[in-house]
Amino acid sequence: MKKKNERGILRQKDIFLGMICAMFFLDTVGPVASMGASSITWSVIISLIFLFPSGLIMAEMGSSYPADGGMYAWVKKAYGPKWGARMSWLYWINNAIWTPSTCIFTISVFCQVFLGEVPFLYQLLMSIALIWCIILFSLRSRRTVTRFTNLAAFFKIFIAAAMVLMAILFLLQGNAPANNISLQSFRPQLNDTFLFLSALIYNYLGFEVMFSVGSQIKNPTTSVPRATIANTFMISTLYIFVLLAIIIIVPQKDTSIVDTIMNCFLFANLSPAIEKGVVLIIGSIFLAILFAQEVTWMIGAGRLAAGAAKDHELPMAFGKQGKSRDIPVGALIMTGIVGTVTALIYGLIAHNTEDLFWTLFSFTNIIFLLPYIINFQAYIKLRKINGKIPGAYHIWGPTFVGTILARLEQGILIATIGIILLTPGRGLELTTILPLLGGTMIVLIIGEILINRCHLKYFKQSTTTTE
């Protein structure tokens, strides 16, 4: 039973800011910006046909079923323990494998701001150390982590505003935009840069992160939908303004994965003294943001895995918890182990930080999208079984409206997986497709083995106890 002071500690403001921290990805805005002015048009289109419908569905699920575990609890309720376990496994393993990528990105920014050129091997070792620093911080109390992620959300909005200000100053100085921003340039393109659209879809996922602690949300039937719907407008607006700022300041050839955000300030034609101060301040804030973002996702994924382990659906190593029962100690340590091994393996293969980032992004993005496809199916099933839960938020109109929106989201996610399999600039290549599909199959097989072993072991124990 929860302690009284643990009940309902997350307010509507906490949910709203937590979603911004989890979903406003400044580390993947570079690939999207490389699409040029058409990236803004695509952002508007994807916001309308994906972000907003997804937000409405997640708001209904979070309001109707505010249990700990979020998507894990919803899928389990719809399709039973094994599907819930599959959801948890995919969600957790994606985060564990993706963690070294975000950490190497963070270290690259750190080196760019404070150290200059640092050999890739040293950056790799620093990123492994950072993984464990994030885990140690994640073990702190829920209130401490919430305050930090709330602050990081404000920092993200601050950096977005600073980038827009740099773009305005850049134009006021009489500079021409670094890229073509004619009316024609905003026309959606289907060339090679279209393949980076998968990064935009990725940026619009994550509403469910805050629902992993559904029981700690105050007034979930009202606070969840309000925060979720408000976030759809805020996040889409932030991305559009940030992309426009990048397109005005940074030439398309310089919109790399690692350097794009800092280049907005380096290319803004500021005086050397001001530029140095601005870069140090923005760089420090950016590093805090990246740290908090990974904390948010690591804890969210850890709670799903811990919940499945508690229900004997994943190995008990994931279920170990600290004195405060909302800290998934076991799942966090497992994340650190897998993240460290992944960093070392891919560090031997990758030639530089950008290569490592994109390789891991492509691989984990496929795994990352699968739980959402399953979750939208669970939404359809629960709507069919339970109808509209009294007192909860519901998508306007008859049941088929929600079903159509869920099918649309599933179709977009499946199409995105197809886009991921294409290599930017080269198209279909077996040397790219086979490792991605092979790695995905290995992850699925390992998950099935673990889940089935846990179910078999628990079944035997239950039978023995009964006898």
Side-chain angles (χ1 to χ4, degrees):
M1 189 172 180
K2 280 187 296 185
K3 296 177 182 179
K4 188 174 182 179
N5 62 0
E6 290 179 339
R7 187 180 293 119
I9 65 172
L10 294 179
R11 299 158 294 175
Q12 182 175 318
K13 179 191 74 173
D14 298 323
I15 303 170
F16 177 78
L17 293 174
M19 286 181 183
I20 290 179
C21 184
M23 295 181 65
F24 184 35
F25 291 99
L26 289 170
D27 49 334
T28 52
V29 76
V32 179
S34 68
M35 299 167 66
S38 67
S39 65
I40 296 175
T41 308
W42 278 117
S43 294
V44 174
I45 293 172
I46 299 302
S47 292
L48 292 174
I49 67 174
F50 185 78
L51 177 64
F52 288 100
S54 175
L56 295 176
I57 291 171
M58 291 297 184
E60 180 170 337
M61 294 288 271
S63 175
S64 300
Y65 309 101
D68 286 345
M71 292 201 301
Y72 159 69
W74 305 335
V75 171
K76 182 178 179 179
K77 191 175 186 66
Y79 290 105
K82 276 199 171 183
W83 276 104
R86 291 181 182 114
M87 164 69 74
S88 294
W89 166 252
L90 289 171
Y91 201 86
W92 174 82
I93 193 64
N94 160 76
N95 182 264
I97 297 173
W98 173 240
T99 293
S101 180
T102 58
C103 287
I104 194 70
F105 179 93
T106 304
I107 294 300
S108 297
V109 173
F110 177 80
C111 293
Q112 183 185 17
V113 174
F114 296 104
L115 301 179
E117 290 294 328
V118 175
F120 176 61
L121 176 60
Y122 292 139
Q123 291 190 44
L124 184 64
L125 295 176
M126 292 167 68
S127 71
I128 293 173
L130 180 60
I131 290 172
W132 291 100
C133 288
I134 292 171
I135 290 172
L136 288 174
F137 184 85
S138 300
L139 296 176
R140 297 177 66 85
S141 70
R142 178 68 198 173
R143 289 185 183 277
T144 300
V145 173
T146 299
R147 291 189 185 110
F148 182 62
T149 53
N150 285 356
L151 181 62
F154 282 115
F155 281 162
K156 286 193 173 189
I157 296 172
F158 171 79
I159 285 191
M163 291 172 69
V164 173
L165 178 61
M166 288 298 104
I168 294 173
L169 291 175
F170 184 82
L171 294 176
L172 289 177
Q173 291 171 353
N175 298 300
N179 300 283
N180 180 17
I181 55 172
S182 64
L183 191 61
Q184 180 69 19
S185 68
F186 285 90
R187 185 177 179 181
Q189 301 293 321
L190 296 176
N191 53 22
D192 288 340
T193 60
F194 172 75
L195 302 181
F196 291 114
L197 194 65
S198 60
L200 181 57
I201 298 292
Y202 174 88
N203 289 349
Y204 283 163
L205 293 169
F207 283 116
E208 76 294 336
V209 172
M210 296 304 297
F211 302 150
S212 63
V213 284
S215 65
Q216 296 184 27
I217 297 175
K218 284 186 176 181
N219 304 317
T221 55
T222 55
S223 60
V224 165
R226 286 175 182 173
T228 304
I229 293 171
N231 266 88
T232 61
F233 289 98
M234 174 63 82
I235 290 169
S236 59
T237 301
L238 286 172
Y239 274 121
I240 289 170
F241 277 105
V242 165
L243 287 171
L244 183 59
I246 293 172
I247 291 165
I248 289 173
I249 301 174
V250 184
Q252 195 168 353
K253 63 182 178 61
D254 293 311
T255 53
S256 68
I257 293 172
V258 174
D259 301 329
T260 299
I261 297 298
M262 297 309 302
N263 281 348
C264 270
F265 301 93
L266 292 171
F267 293 2
N269 292 336
L270 302 172
S271 66
I274 295 176
E275 179 185 288
K276 185 177 180 180
V278 168
V279 168
L280 286 174
I281 293 171
I282 295 297
S284 299
I285 294 174
F286 192 23
L287 289 169
I289 285 171
L290 294 172
F291 188 90
Q293 182 175 285
E294 186 53 40
V295 167
T296 303
W297 278 95
M298 194 178 285
I299 291 177
R303 285 202 179 96
L304 261 68
K310 182 181 177 182
D311 293 337
H312 308 280
E313 293 157 10
L314 283 179
M316 290 307 297
F318 290 93
K320 181 177 174 57
Q321 293 179 313
K323 293 179 180 180
S324 176
R325 290 187 296 168
D326 70 328
I327 300 177
V329 176
L332 289 172
I333 292 174
M334 294 294 290
T335 299
I337 294 171
V338 173
T340 300
V341 172
T342 303
L344 291 173
I345 293 174
Y346 274 94
L348 296 174
I349 300 172
H351 302 294
N352 52 56
T353 55
E354 188 160 333
D355 188 14
L356 174 61
F357 185 93
W358 191 257
T359 300
L360 288 177
F361 176 80
S362 300
F363 174 48
T364 57
N365 214 355
I366 294 175
I367 301 171
F368 183 52
L369 297 180
L370 295 177
Y372 291 93
I373 295 173
I374 299 170
N375 184 65
F376 288 125
Q377 187 63 38
Y379 167 77
I380 295 171
K381 177 77 176 291
L382 289 175
R383 258 285 191 108
K384 184 177 180 181
I385 295 173
N386 300 325
K388 297 181 178 180
I389 304 298
Y393 164 80
H394 304 103
I395 294 175
W396 178 85
T399 301
F400 72 81
V401 174
T403 301
I404 290 173
L405 291 179
R407 293 299 186 204
L408 173 64
E409 305 304 272
Q410 287 179 317
I412 291 172
L413 292 176
I414 291 170
T416 302
I417 291 176
I419 293 173
I420 293 170
L421 295 176
L422 299 174
T423 306
R426 295 195 296 270
L428 284 169
E429 286 190 348
L430 287 179
T431 55
T432 301
I433 294 174
L434 291 180
L436 291 177
L437 293 180
T440 302
M441 287 303 300
I442 291 172
V443 166
L444 293 174
I445 291 170
I446 291 174
E448 285 300 304
I449 292 172
L450 291 176
I451 293 166
N452 282 290
R453 285 186 64 182
C454 290
H455 273 259
L456 182 61
K457 183 178 179 180
Y458 182 61
F459 176 77
K460 287 182 177 179
Q461 288 177 345
S462 300
T463 304
T464 304
T465 304
T466 303
E467 292 175 352

